[in-house]
Amino acid sequence: MSGKGEHGMLKRIPYDRRAAVAYAHKWALGRNPAYYDYEEIGGDCTNFASQCLFAGTGVMNYDSVYGWYYIDANRKSPSWTGVEYFYNFLTRTGKSAGPFGELTTLDGLMPGDMVQLRFGKDVFSHTPVVVDVGYPATMENVLVAAHSYDADRRPLSTYFFNEIRFLHILGAYREF
């Protein structure tokens, strides 16, 4: 790959985990008025995870099909609020603007990473944000913040789920 995006060259930038976690703590039990609250129409968890991720990268991708962006309640990408779309955007193989990551293990998690849970359904449906990781990492000492059942510093062990996956954020690409 040339590293060329649709509009220009891409530069890899680091993920500011502290900024993402600080944002998570600030808004875990409330709502940032700059963003619509999707609680009543399917849940707000991935919207909240996207806000944290944006706080740590400062980069959106405005591609109308494959992007990750939020303009207002009605102008946002499916990946901003949809659990599976969020996962697909973060783990994409091609280089494009915005944050990116990879699947990891429990002990590969760091604060600012994402967890996704699958409950009784066939698809993953919840995206908490990791805010603290004990050493060695366990389900009891990995703590998350989330919307839709608002929580801050909630142990992963308190969730009842069918399947779990861990997403390690590697950084972001910014156009320059």
Side-chain angles (χ1 to χ4, degrees), residues 122-134:
D122 291 337
V123 295
F124 284 83
S125 59
H126 193 45
T127 309
V129 179
V130 176
V131 294
D132 197 22
V133 179

Side-chain angles (χ1 to χ4, degrees), residues 31-42:
R31 298 294 184 270
N32 181 339
Y35 295 93
Y36 185 78
D37 178 3
Y38 297 93
E39 191 71 42
E40 301 302 318
I41 51 170

Side-chain angles (χ1 to χ4, degrees), residues 3-106:
K4 241 177 150 16
E6 196 177 322
H7 302 292
M9 295 296 289
L10 293 172
K11 178 182 180 192
R12 184 174 172 163
I13 60 170
Y15 178 41
D16 186 343
R17 296 176 176 282
R18 280 203 188 117
V21 170
Y23 185 98
H25 288 315
K26 180 173 183 177
W27 296 106
L29 305 178
R31 298 294 184 270
N32 181 339
Y35 295 93
Y36 185 78
D37 178 3
Y38 297 93
E39 191 71 42
E40 301 302 318
I41 51 170
D44 200 57
C45 67
T46 306
N47 177 36
F48 175 68
S50 285
Q51 291 172 40
C52 295
L53 197 51
F54 181 66
T57 63
V59 182
M60 290 187 190
N61 178 324
Y62 293 97
D63 183 286
S64 59
V65 178
Y66 300 108
W68 176 77
Y69 63 90
Y70 179 95
I71 298 167
D72 60 36
N74 298 309
R75 292 182 299 162
K76 57 160 181 67
S77 63
S79 58
W80 189 270
T81 52
V83 177
E84 292 288 347
Y85 294 106
F86 179 79
Y87 170 81
N88 289 340
F89 179 78
L90 281 177
T91 59
R92 68 198 182 282
T93 52
K95 277 188 184 177
S96 61
F100 62 95
E102 65 186 8
L103 282 172
T104 188
T105 57
L106 181 68

